Coordinates of all heavy atoms in Angstrom, one line a residue:
E1 N 56.4 -96.0 150.7 CA 57.4 -96.4 149.7 C 58.4 -97.3 150.3 O 58.8 -98.3 149.7 CB 58.1 -95.1 149.1 CG 57.2 -94.2 148.3 CD 56.3 -93.3 149.2 OE1 56.6 -93.1 150.4 OE2 55.3 -92.9 148.6
R2 N 58.9 -97.0 151.5 CA 59.9 -97.9 152.2 C 59.3 -99.3 152.4 O 60.0 -100.3 152.3 CB 60.4 -97.2 153.4 CG 61.3 -96.0 153.2 CD 61.7 -95.4 154.4 NE 63.0 -95.9 154.9 CZ 63.6 -95.5 156.0 NH1 63.1 -94.6 156.7 NH2 64.8 -96.1 156.3
A3 N 58.0 -99.3 152.9 CA 57.4 -100.5 153.2 C 57.2 -101.4 151.9 O 57.5 -102.6 151.9 CB 56.0 -100.3 153.8
V4 N 56.8 -100.8 150.8 CA 56.6 -101.5 149.6 C 58.0 -102.0 149.1 O 58.2 -103.1 148.6 CB 56.0 -100.7 148.5 CG1 56.1 -101.3 147.1 CG2 54.5 -100.4 148.8
G5 N 59.1 -101.3 149.4 CA 60.4 -101.6 149.0 C 60.9 -102.9 149.7 O 61.8 -103.5 149.2
F6 N 60.3 -103.3 150.8 CA 60.7 -104.6 151.4 C 60.1 -105.8 150.6 O 60.5 -106.9 150.9 CB 60.1 -104.7 152.9 CG 61.0 -103.9 153.9 CD1 60.6 -102.7 154.3 CD2 62.1 -104.5 154.3 CE1 61.3 -102.0 155.2 CE2 62.9 -103.8 155.3 CZ 62.5 -102.5 155.7
S7 N 59.1 -105.6 149.8 CA 58.5 -106.7 149.0 C 59.5 -107.2 147.9 O 60.3 -106.4 147.4 CB 57.2 -106.2 148.3 OG 56.3 -105.7 149.3
T8 N 59.4 -108.5 147.6 CA 60.2 -109.0 146.5 C 59.7 -108.4 145.2 O 58.5 -107.9 145.2 CB 60.1 -110.5 146.5 OG1 58.7 -110.9 146.2 CG2 60.6 -111.2 147.8
P9 N 60.5 -108.4 144.2 CA 60.0 -107.9 142.9 C 58.7 -108.5 142.4 O 57.8 -107.8 141.9 CB 61.2 -108.2 141.9 CG 62.4 -108.2 142.8 CD 61.9 -108.8 144.1
A10 N 58.5 -109.8 142.7 CA 57.3 -110.5 142.3 C 56.1 -110.0 143.1 O 54.9 -110.0 142.6 CB 57.4 -112.0 142.3
S11 N 56.3 -109.6 144.4 CA 55.2 -109.2 145.3 C 54.9 -107.8 145.1 O 53.7 -107.4 145.5 CB 55.7 -109.5 146.7 OG 55.8 -110.8 147.0
R12 N 55.8 -106.9 144.6 CA 55.5 -105.5 144.6 C 54.3 -105.1 143.8 O 53.4 -104.3 144.3 CB 56.7 -104.7 144.0 CG 57.5 -104.2 145.1 CD 58.7 -103.3 144.6 NE 59.8 -103.7 145.5 CZ 61.0 -104.0 145.2 NH1 61.4 -104.1 144.0 NH2 61.8 -104.4 146.1
P13 N 54.0 -105.7 142.6 CA 52.8 -105.3 141.9 C 51.5 -105.7 142.7 O 50.5 -105.0 142.6 CB 52.9 -106.1 140.6 CG 54.3 -106.4 140.4 CD 54.9 -106.5 141.8
I14 N 51.6 -106.7 143.4 CA 50.4 -107.2 144.2 C 50.1 -106.2 145.3 O 49.0 -105.7 145.4 CB 50.7 -108.6 144.8 CG1 50.8 -109.6 143.7 CG2 49.5 -109.0 145.7 CD1 51.4 -111.0 144.1
I15 N 51.1 -105.8 146.1 CA 50.9 -104.9 147.2 C 50.5 -103.5 146.6 O 49.6 -102.8 147.2 CB 52.1 -104.8 148.2 CG1 51.7 -104.0 149.4 CG2 53.3 -104.2 147.5 CD1 50.8 -104.6 150.3
E16 N 51.1 -103.1 145.5 CA 50.8 -101.8 145.0 C 49.4 -101.7 144.5 O 48.6 -100.8 144.7 CB 51.8 -101.4 143.9 CG 53.2 -101.1 144.4 CD 54.2 -101.0 143.3 OE1 54.0 -101.5 142.2 OE2 55.3 -100.5 143.6
T17 N 48.9 -102.8 143.8 CA 47.5 -102.9 143.3 C 46.5 -102.9 144.5 O 45.5 -102.2 144.5 CB 47.4 -104.2 142.4 OG1 48.2 -104.0 141.3 CG2 45.9 -104.3 142.0
E18 N 46.8 -103.7 145.5 CA 45.9 -103.9 146.6 C 45.8 -102.5 147.4 O 44.8 -102.1 147.8 CB 46.4 -105.0 147.6 CG 46.1 -106.3 147.0 CD 44.6 -106.6 146.8 OE1 43.8 -106.3 147.7 OE2 44.2 -107.1 145.7
L19 N 47.0 -101.9 147.6 CA 47.0 -100.6 148.3 C 46.2 -99.5 147.5 O 45.4 -98.8 148.1 CB 48.4 -100.2 148.6 CG 48.6 -98.9 149.4 CD1 47.9 -99.0 150.7 CD2 50.1 -98.6 149.5
A20 N 46.4 -99.5 146.2 CA 45.7 -98.5 145.4 C 44.2 -98.7 145.4 O 43.4 -97.8 145.6 CB 46.2 -98.5 144.0
R21 N 43.8 -100.0 145.4 CA 42.4 -100.4 145.4 C 41.8 -100.0 146.8 O 40.7 -99.4 146.9 CB 42.2 -101.8 145.1 CG 40.7 -102.3 145.1 CD 40.6 -103.8 145.0 NE 41.2 -104.5 146.1 CZ 40.6 -104.6 147.3 NH1 39.5 -104.0 147.6 NH2 41.3 -105.3 148.3
A22 N 42.5 -100.3 147.8 CA 42.0 -100.0 149.2 C 41.9 -98.5 149.4 O 40.9 -98.1 150.0 CB 43.0 -100.6 150.2
L23 N 42.8 -97.7 148.9 CA 42.7 -96.3 149.0 C 41.6 -95.7 148.2 O 40.8 -94.9 148.7 CB 44.0 -95.6 148.6 CG 45.2 -95.9 149.5 CD1 46.5 -95.4 148.9 CD2 45.0 -95.3 150.9
R24 N 41.4 -96.2 147.0 CA 40.3 -95.8 146.1 C 39.0 -96.1 146.7 O 38.0 -95.3 146.7 CB 40.5 -96.4 144.8 CG 39.7 -95.8 143.6 CD 40.1 -96.4 142.3 NE 40.1 -97.9 142.2 CZ 41.3 -98.6 142.1 NH1 42.4 -98.0 142.1 NH2 41.2 -99.9 142.1
Q25 N 38.8 -97.3 147.2 CA 37.5 -97.8 147.7 C 37.3 -97.6 149.2 O 36.3 -98.0 149.8 CB 37.3 -99.3 147.3 CG 37.3 -99.5 145.8 CD 37.2 -100.9 145.4 OE1 37.1 -101.8 146.3 NE2 37.2 -101.2 144.1
Q26 N 38.4 -97.1 149.9 CA 38.4 -97.0 151.3 C 38.1 -98.3 152.1 O 37.2 -98.3 152.9 CB 37.4 -95.8 151.8 CG 37.8 -94.5 151.2 CD 37.0 -93.4 151.7 OE1 36.1 -93.5 152.4 NE2 37.2 -92.2 151.1
L27 N 38.8 -99.3 151.7 CA 38.7 -100.6 152.2 C 40.0 -101.1 152.8 O 41.1 -100.7 152.4 CB 38.2 -101.6 151.2 CG 36.9 -101.4 150.4 CD1 36.8 -102.3 149.3 CD2 35.8 -101.5 151.4
S28 N 39.9 -102.1 153.7 CA 41.1 -102.7 154.2 C 41.4 -103.9 153.3 O 40.6 -104.2 152.4 CB 40.9 -103.2 155.7 OG 39.9 -104.2 155.7
F29 N 42.6 -104.5 153.5 CA 43.0 -105.6 152.7 C 43.9 -106.5 153.5 O 44.5 -106.1 154.4 CB 43.6 -105.3 151.3 CG 44.9 -104.6 151.4 CD1 46.1 -105.3 151.3 CD2 44.9 -103.2 151.5 CE1 47.3 -104.6 151.4 CE2 46.2 -102.5 151.6 CZ 47.3 -103.2 151.5
D30 N 44.0 -107.8 153.1 CA 44.8 -108.7 153.7 C 45.4 -109.6 152.7 O 44.7 -110.4 152.0 CB 43.9 -109.6 154.7 CG 44.7 -110.6 155.5 OD1 46.0 -110.5 155.5 OD2 44.1 -111.5 156.1
V31 N 46.7 -109.5 152.5 CA 47.5 -110.4 151.6 C 48.7 -110.9 152.3 O 49.3 -110.3 153.2 CB 47.9 -109.6 150.3 CG1 46.7 -109.2 149.5 CG2 48.7 -108.4 150.6
E32 N 49.2 -112.0 151.8 CA 50.4 -112.6 152.3 C 51.4 -112.5 151.2 O 51.2 -113.0 150.1 CB 50.3 -114.0 152.7 CG 49.5 -114.2 154.0 CD 49.5 -115.6 154.5 OE1 50.5 -116.3 154.3 OE2 48.5 -116.0 155.0

């Protein structure tokens, strides 16, 4: 939660979506 909180408002949905997908599919991800 604290890590996601460092993201800008526009970036938060991206990191939240990627993290949820990675957890669900047990995959890594790489986003800027």
Side-chain angles (χ1 to χ4, degrees):
E1 294 78 19
R2 289 177 91 178
V4 169
F6 281 102
S7 301
T8 61
S11 295
R12 262 184 217 129
I14 297 167
I15 190 69
E16 290 169 344
T17 298
E18 287 298 312
L19 183 57
R21 184 186 60 76
L23 293 172
R24 191 174 50 252
Q25 297 175 3
Q26 298 183 3
L27 300 171
S28 62
F29 65 94
D30 181 14
V31 294
E32 287 188 35

